[in-house]
Amino acid sequence: MPLKNDLLLRTINGEKTERTPVWLMRQAGRILPEYRAVRNSLSGFKELVETPELAAEVTIQPVDILGVDAAIIFSDILVIPEAMGLQYEMVEKRGPHFPETIKSAADIKKLKVAEASDVQYTIDAIKVTKKELDGRVPLIGFAGAPWTIFAYMIEGGGSKTFSKARAMLYTEPELSHQLLQMITTSTINYLKGQVEAGADLVQIFDSWAGILSPTQYEKFSLPYIKQICDAISEVPKTVFAKDAYFARGWFGNINCNTVGLDWCMDIAESRALVGENKTLQGNLDPCVLYGSEASIKEATESMLKQFGPTRHIANLGHGVYPDTDPGKVKFFVDMVKELSANR
């Protein structure tokens, strides 16, 4: 099915476009009353993730309400460890929790390499979403980077330091590589399933990239991201590694099409490090959206000027925060459209 709005894909390809495309990380959910209405009718977050028709509904809401140039499938990065055999819970106001964690070789032996069919609910959600979008905008599939998934599987939940996960890299490096490879193969299978179901591009989220030293990142994260990017040849790939300032040059040399920037990364410096042949995505500070419309307009104009008119996908430097006024989010989207069209 041909896309009615292919602005995002043309920008990724380096084509000159009529304006800058815009979408937001975490746009599917949290800030929208329409999302909360669906979410509150269910037992919890996981039921929403695992119900294809409802996941499709909340995926499409931001396209209808905010006017963004892409949809991103509503799911969670932690579906992969669960598909591998490590169950997780989503605890209200606390986040993800793994009742069991990986501590030894014996624990790893209990796991399996996941197939796309082990996350069939997300595959089905993509199929439903594609049908209901009817070509209006591209659909983004996604997965967590292997290091980020590893960190949760070892730590058991969120953490400021992920000291248990980082310690394992030093104390059990061979075991760490074994688990990282299992996660990587599972992720490749999963993303290929997403693409086959209709995802137009995919994004790899390395949410905890910045807690590793450059040496450890180069050893325990980058090779596995590279492996995923090399394996997915059917659609464009975006890599977003939060706080990994040291990795931008490396991302310029791997087989991805777009590099996401967080709001603390200097735009000109990032362009120099990544190179001219990749698209950059980002990177407005999400807290800008708490400000006045005048300040949002000023910050958006500054961001667009720094990135320039080509090879830029407008986005926030991280996910939109849950207490952000949806009206301010819509204003940001509208400002990107208006200001970039007038350049």
Side-chain angles (χ1 to χ4, degrees):
M1 181 185 300
L3 288 168
K4 300 178 180 76
N5 175 354
D6 63 351
L7 199 58
L8 187 79
L9 298 178
R10 286 189 284 129
T11 297
I12 290 170
N13 289 335
E15 297 176 30
K16 189 173 181 181
T17 55
E18 53 273 27
R19 64 169 175 83
T20 299
V22 56
W23 70 279
L24 303 120
M25 290 180 278
R26 292 186 183 153
Q27 66 185 16
R30 301 213 291 183
I31 62 160
L32 297 176
E34 293 84 355
Y35 164 83
R36 288 196 291 272
V38 175
R39 169 72 175 75
N40 292 340
S41 69
L42 304 171
S43 62
F45 172 84
K46 285 187 74 177
E47 185 182 355
L48 181 49
V49 168
E50 294 169 9
T51 309
E53 291 74 19
L54 296 179
E57 181 181 344
V58 298
T59 295
I60 294 170
Q61 283 174 349
V63 179
D64 295 333
I65 299 163
L66 302 175
V68 288
D69 293 308
I72 182 165
I73 194 66
F74 185 84
S75 186
D76 192 82
I77 63 171
L78 298 180
V79 299
I80 280 292
E82 186 158 81
M84 293 173 67
L86 198 69
Q87 303 298 311
Y88 80 102
E89 305 164 350
M90 194 61 77
V91 182
E92 197 69 34
K93 297 184 179 177
R94 186 178 147 200
H97 170 68
F98 287 85
E100 302 290 331
T101 58
I102 303 301
K103 302 182 185 72
S104 66
D107 294 328
I108 292 178
K109 283 180 181 175
K110 297 175 188 175
L111 302 174
K112 68 169 187 173
V113 170
E115 300 294 335
S117 57
D118 292 311
V119 200
Q120 191 62 43
Y121 47 82
T122 299
I123 304 302
D124 290 342
I126 288 173
K127 292 176 181 177
V128 174
T129 303
K130 281 292 285 187
K131 184 178 179 182
E132 293 186 2
L133 275 174
D134 194 29
R136 278 186 288 161
V137 294
L139 177 61
I140 304 169
F142 73 90
W147 154 249
T148 287
I149 301 302
F150 175 100
Y152 280 111
M153 292 174 79
I154 305 301
E155 205 78 24
S159 166
K160 289 182 179 178
T161 61
F162 282 94
S163 54
K164 291 178 185 175
R166 285 163 51 219
M168 185 173 273
L169 304 182
Y170 290 97
T171 60
E172 298 277 6
E174 290 183 12
L175 209 61
S176 296
H177 281 300
Q178 182 186 345
L179 179 54
L180 284 161
Q181 186 57 57
M182 290 179 72
I183 296 167
T184 300
T185 306
S186 300
T187 301
I188 289 168
N189 293 340
Y190 178 44
L191 288 175
K192 281 188 172 290
Q194 292 188 37
V195 172
E196 191 175 333
D200 297 290
L201 65 156
V202 295
Q203 178 156 317
I204 301 163
F205 286 88
D206 206 354
S207 305
W208 299 111
I211 62 171
L212 291 181
S213 69
T215 301
Q216 293 294 79
Y217 195 81
E218 190 174 18
K219 193 182 298 181
F220 291 103
S221 185
L222 186 67
Y224 298 103
I225 292 175
K226 182 179 183 299
Q227 200 178 132
I228 294 167
C229 288
D230 287 343
I232 307 295
S233 57
E234 304 88 343
V235 298
K237 291 91 56 176
T238 300
V239 174
F240 175 66
K242 190 174 181 303
D243 297 327
Y245 313 102
F246 50 79
R248 288 171 290 172
W250 294 334
F251 294 145
N253 292 317
I254 69 170
N255 188 19
C256 67
N257 308 79
T258 302
V259 177
L261 307 181
D262 70 42
W263 70 92
C264 296
M265 292 176 176
D266 181 81
I267 295 167
E269 179 185 64
S270 298
R271 173 53 72 199
L273 288 167
V274 171
E276 297 294 330
N277 295 322
K278 291 190 191 298
T279 296
L280 297 178
Q281 180 172 277
N283 71 335
L284 195 78
D285 182 350
C287 283
V288 166
L289 301 185
Y290 291 124
S292 66
E293 289 190 350
S295 64
I296 294 169
K297 180 178 180 180
E298 182 181 2
T300 303
E301 194 163 26
S302 174
M303 176 188 71
L304 291 169
K305 185 177 179 181
Q306 290 178 72
F307 276 106
T310 58
R311 284 206 177 275
H312 173 221
I313 299 165
N315 206 309
L316 302 179
H318 199 230
V320 62
Y321 298 141
D323 59 345
T324 309
D325 177 355
K328 298 284 183 69
V329 179
K330 176 75 163 62
F331 182 79
F332 165 67
V333 171
D334 290 344
M335 279 299 96
V336 170
K337 292 179 179 180
E338 179 185 319
L339 295 169
S340 64
N342 290 337
R343 285 179 298 172

